[in-house]
Amino acid sequence: MLIINLDDSQAQDTLAQLLKNATNSRVIMRSFATELETMTADNFDSESFGGQAWVRKAFGGGKTLTDTGELKDSITSSATSHTATVGTNVAYARIHHFGGTITPKKKPHLAFATPNGFAKVKSVTLPSRPFLPVSPAGQLQSDGDRRLIEVALSALTTDT
């Protein structure tokens, strides 16, 4: 004869922790903010948006969007009980994330260094290279849902 007795104390402890964490949404939001920052770092490392490759830079060696590392290093995250935020305060971040056309404000042309010397142009159009885990259209990157669900489950069951 085989008899198995189950003790529900571990299940009760886990459920108690889940209920405690579920009533304190800051725990989950803090975990979401950290994961959004991690997804952003992953995008820089892979030069892609959730696996969809960025348009490569026109010239020069090295990784796209990481010439100096300033943009990548400027990424921060924060959380409240109701929000998880990831972003940057670098002025040129918007044009790289959303794409767009740059035109001169005070001169008749833009000037910049190229492999063949300096170029003078009336405008430069940059492609969208979304580095934050939310697309310019407001959609979470392809693997984002799965990653945030895993983080939420972990946050709900972790003793804080």
Side-chain angles (χ1 to χ4, degrees), residues 2 8 94:
L2 174 65
D8 71 346
R94 179 186 258 311

Side-chain angles (χ1 to χ4, degrees), residues 22 97 126:
H97 188 77
L126 296 177

Side-chain angles (χ1 to χ4, degrees), residues 17 20-21 24-38 76-86 148 151-152 154-156 158-160:
Q17 188 65 50
K20 177 183 170 191
N21 290 348
N24 180 7
S25 59
R26 187 179 196 101
V27 172
I28 294 174
M29 289 299 159
R30 186 173 48 239
S31 296
F32 281 172
T34 300
E35 185 61 21
L36 290 170
E37 189 170 346
T38 299
T76 60
S77 62
S78 63
T80 69
S81 295
H82 303 290
T83 62
T85 304
V86 64
L148 291 179
V151 164
S154 177
L156 284 170
T158 301
D159 190 11
T160 56

Side-chain angles (χ1 to χ4, degrees), residues 22-100:
T23 58
N24 180 7
S25 59
R26 187 179 196 101
V27 172
I28 294 174
M29 289 299 159
R30 186 173 48 239
S31 296
F32 281 172
T34 300
E35 185 61 21
L36 290 170
E37 189 170 346
T38 299
M39 284 191 263
T40 302
D42 291 348
N43 287 344
F44 275 101
D45 291 343
S46 66
E47 298 180 79
S48 68
F49 175 71
Q52 183 179 354
W54 294 333
V55 174
R56 297 282 303 152
K57 60 185 180 177
F59 52 84
K63 287 187 160 192
T64 303
L65 297 187
T66 57
D67 279 346
T68 66
E70 179 184 19
L71 181 58
K72 181 180 178 182
D73 293 343
S74 73
I75 303 300
T76 60
S77 62
S78 63
T80 69
S81 295
H82 303 290
T83 62
T85 304
V86 64
T88 175
N89 62 357
V90 172
Y92 56 82
R94 179 186 258 311
I95 192 75
H96 285 296
H97 188 77
F98 292 99

Side-chain angles (χ1 to χ4, degrees), residues 108-131:
H109 56 267
L110 299 169
F112 56 91
T114 72
N116 301 322
F118 279 88
K120 290 182 180 181
V121 296
K122 297 218 180 258
S123 65
V124 173
T125 300
L126 296 177
S128 171
R129 294 182 178 112
F131 54 89

